[in-house]
């Protein structure tokens, strides 16, 4: 095991949202210990998003400073454009730049689909998904200016693979993948990389869900991956990495070769008759962009000579 700490954040500024506890705290502590100046954002509410307080963010800042690091607390909610702007402004005003942004803040309002009330849907989408826009827009502007940046957005197996009672949360978490993909494409020319972490860890959010797995899933196991994704050393983009309990694994969306029914529209029965071919994952590819899929479609349709826009 390599024990030389070559991955460092000296002169770099990292924002971690929801860093007052759980996973975010570990991310903040690890990157601060590697030289990052950290904006420790946390609203200080409960797991359902109720209440607020300065205590959690202040405590993590004190821990970082106690260990000789540099950090500043921010208590704004990620859920509004003003809050997102103020969080990024804290980094710029206090430390002069923003090198990496980890959007980690989150809440739960688990209910089966028909029981979800309007506020359960809106609040969860606000904190997870819309917040990423309010944070990433001002951060992207600063990163573009300095021609360097790293985004890490937090997705979840509950959305990627699905989980009972988490329609609001799962949809919000999977929406973040779409945002991350487009940030990767639009940010590429400015040295900006964007990736998603899909964590599994014992925190207040999951303590009742994990059962006997909990004792094996310390949040400290996830932090090294997030620190790596935030670092200069990480030059890939548009990936989703599952991290938990010491296992790190790529999650990907593949495109199967499918079935080509010819240039004339097929019947619904034609679909029914070939559904196994359509659903078979054998021989899949992993497109990097929607244009990659369009190129594959051109090949299947024997239209390889056509030029795609863009
Ligand atoms: P946690 O509840 O310990 O941490 C979430 C933090 O976000 C809290 O400190 C909370 O105060 C803060 N927060 C909530 N709303 C906020 C707002 N509007 N503005 C600013 N801060 C706010 O939970 P945990 O487990 O550490 O979760 C971190 C992230 O990882 C979340 O996005 C969660 O959805 C995600 N996640 C966690 C998993 C796990 O196994 N723990 C699994 C999959 C995803």
């Amino acid at each position: 095991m390599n024990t030389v700490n070559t991955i460092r954040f000296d002169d770099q500024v990292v924002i971690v949202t929801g860093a007052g506890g759980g996973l975010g705290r570990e991310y903040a502590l690890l990157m601060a210990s590697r030289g990052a100046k950290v904006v420790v954002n946390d609203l200080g509410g409960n797991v359902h998003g109720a209440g607020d307080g300065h205590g959690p963010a202040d405590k993590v800042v004190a821990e970082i400073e106690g260990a000789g690091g540099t950090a500043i607390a921010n208590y704004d909610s990620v859920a509004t454009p003003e809050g997102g702007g103020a969080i990024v402004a804290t980094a710029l005003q206090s430390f002069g730049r923003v090198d990496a942004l980890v959007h980690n803040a989150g809440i739960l309002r688990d209910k089966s689909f028909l029981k979800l009330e309007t506020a359960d849907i809106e609040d969860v989408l606000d904190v997870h998904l819309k917040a990423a826009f309010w944070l990433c827009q001002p951060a992207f502007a600063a990163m573009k200016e300095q021609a360097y940046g790293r985004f890490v957005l937090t997705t979840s197996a509950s959305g990627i693979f699905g989980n009972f009672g988490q329609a609001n949360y799962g949809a919000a978490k999977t929406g973040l993948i779409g945002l991350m993909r487009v940030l990767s494409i639009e940010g590429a020319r400015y040295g900006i990389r964007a990736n998603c972490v899909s964590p599994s860890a014992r925190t207040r959010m999951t303590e009742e869900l994990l059962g006997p797995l909990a004792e094996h899933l310390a949040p400290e196991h996830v932090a090294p991956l997030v620190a790596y994704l935030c670092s200069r050393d990480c030059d890939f983009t548009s990936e989703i990495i599952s991290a938990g309990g010491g296992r790190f694994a790529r999650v990907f969306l593949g495109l199967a070769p499918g079935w080509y029914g010819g240039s004339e529209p097929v019947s619904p029965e034609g679909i029914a008759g070939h559904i196994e071919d359509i659903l078979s994952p054998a021989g899949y590819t992993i497109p990097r962009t929607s244009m990659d899929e369009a190129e594959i479609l051109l090949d299947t349709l024997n239209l390889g000579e056509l030029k795609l826009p863009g």
Side-chain angles (χ1 to χ4, degrees), residues 109-261:
R109 298 276 179 80
D110 293 359
K111 284 176 192 168
S112 58
F113 185 59
L114 291 180
K115 293 196 175 120
L116 281 172
E117 292 176 20
T118 308
D120 300 322
I121 298 166
E122 287 180 344
D123 293 354
V124 167
L125 286 167
D126 279 347
V127 173
H128 293 277
L129 181 55
K130 284 162 74 179
F133 288 83
W134 314 142
L135 293 155
C136 292
Q137 269 193 333
F140 192 109
M143 290 173 180
K144 180 179 170 187
E145 195 75 17
Q146 69 202 17
Y148 176 85
R150 299 285 180 267
F151 287 111
V152 179
L153 306 183
T154 310
T155 187
S156 169
S158 299
I160 302 171
F161 303 118
N163 196 27
F164 188 94
Q166 294 198 303
N168 50 355
Y169 179 81
K173 287 309 213 185
T174 315
L176 287 163
I177 295 174
L179 173 60
M180 175 278 284
R181 298 281 197 212
V182 177
L183 289 178
S184 297
I185 293 168
E186 294 193 10
R189 76 187 80 157
Y190 307 119
I192 296 171
R193 309 286 175 256
N195 293 286
C196 279
V197 58
S198 178
S200 299
R202 176 185 70 238
T203 66
R204 70 177 192 176
M205 192 180 270
T206 53
E207 59 197 352
E208 286 162 22
L209 306 172
L210 291 173
L213 247 187
E215 64 173 298
H216 303 284
L217 299 184
E220 290 91 324
H221 285 306
V222 179
L225 185 261
V226 170
Y228 173 70
L229 295 177
C230 285
S231 73
R232 275 192 185 279
D233 290 59
C234 174
D235 198 33
F236 63 73
T237 196
S238 203
E239 295 293 345
I240 306 161
I241 313 278
S242 168
R247 186 208 61 179
F248 305 93
R250 182 186 194 185
V251 179
F252 56 86
L253 285 172
L255 177 70
W259 170 66
Y260 177 46

Side-chain angles (χ1 to χ4, degrees), residues 18 23 41-43 77-78 104 106 154 169 173 199 201 203-204 206:
L23 285 160
N41 158 264
D42 207 292
L43 176 75
S77 172
V78 296
N104 161 83
T154 310
Y169 179 81
K173 287 309 213 185
T203 66
R204 70 177 192 176
T206 53

